[in-house]
Amino acid sequence: KVCQNPDMSQEGVALETSLGYLLKEAASALRAAMEEALRPLGLTVTQYATLELLAQRPGLSGSELARGAFVTRQSMNVLLQAMERDGYVTRPAEAPVGKVLPVRLTPRGRRSLAKATVAVRSVEVRMLAGMTPIEQSAAFGALRSMVDSLRGDET
């Protein structure tokens, strides 16, 4: 049940019927479940996201990784320094072109990602357990539409 009143300025947002609030609650619950699943592996959600992004797109810059992992460039730089120190990623000492330091996974990073992917998939399976494939597809489409609308990408 979604609040049907388009003029909510007088009433405020009814949290129990706000789709935005429910979406934030779902995102928070998903993140908490992922953190719990990744903790035994010594990884955070942001570290996992960084490893996954690098596996799919080797050589991304710190700025590109920050955008993909939804963190600031400064936070990503600190994270990459730690991940490089711990042997998950490598970066050249000097930029091959311009100022960009392309980041790449190490063998240790790939092994950690493989274990983390299993943990994260189990969380997603748990999250979707009460939905049919048709409901999952509809939810995916609805969320994609919301993101596109908010970013102004609607076609």
Side-chain angles (χ1 to χ4, degrees):
K1 203 176 197 184
V2 177
C3 186
Q4 299 295 318
N5 185 354
D7 179 20
M8 297 179 1
S9 59
Q10 297 297 325
E11 304 168 27
V13 175
L15 296 181
E16 63 277 358
T17 58
S18 168
L19 190 56
Y21 188 80
L22 183 60
L23 186 57
K24 182 64 179 167
E25 187 177 3
S28 180
L30 175 60
R31 185 172 186 99
M34 287 175 63
E35 290 283 2
E36 185 180 321
L38 292 168
R39 193 173 298 115
L41 303 175
L43 294 173
T44 65
V45 170
T46 307
Q47 288 171 316
Y48 164 72
T50 301
L51 293 174
E52 190 65 65
L53 286 164
L54 288 171
Q56 294 182 26
R57 293 179 248 153
L60 288 177
S61 69
S63 293
E64 292 165 325
L65 288 167
R67 278 191 296 279
F70 309 105
V71 298
T72 65
R73 284 183 301 154
Q74 295 83 355
S75 294
M76 182 53 69
N77 191 45
V78 170
L79 181 80
L80 287 174
Q81 288 173 2
M83 291 180 76
E84 191 172 22
R85 181 194 65 230
D86 294 341
Y88 293 105
V89 300
T90 60
R91 294 187 286 182
E94 293 183 18
V97 179
K99 296 180 181 180
V100 175
L101 295 176
V103 184
R104 300 208 182 275
L105 287 179
T106 63
R108 179 180 184 191
R110 289 190 187 288
R111 287 190 303 272
S112 293
L113 175 59
K115 293 175 188 170
T117 298
V118 172
V120 168
R121 278 195 189 130
S122 72
V123 170
E124 190 161 322
V125 165
R126 193 170 98 216
M127 177 180 69
L128 299 174
M131 299 173 76
T132 67
I134 291 171
E135 290 169 330
Q136 291 176 29
S137 180
F140 186 91
L143 290 170
R144 178 83 268 147
S145 177
M146 288 179 216
V147 169
D148 291 348
S149 292
L150 289 170
R151 289 187 176 156
D153 297 342
E154 63 267 18
T155 53

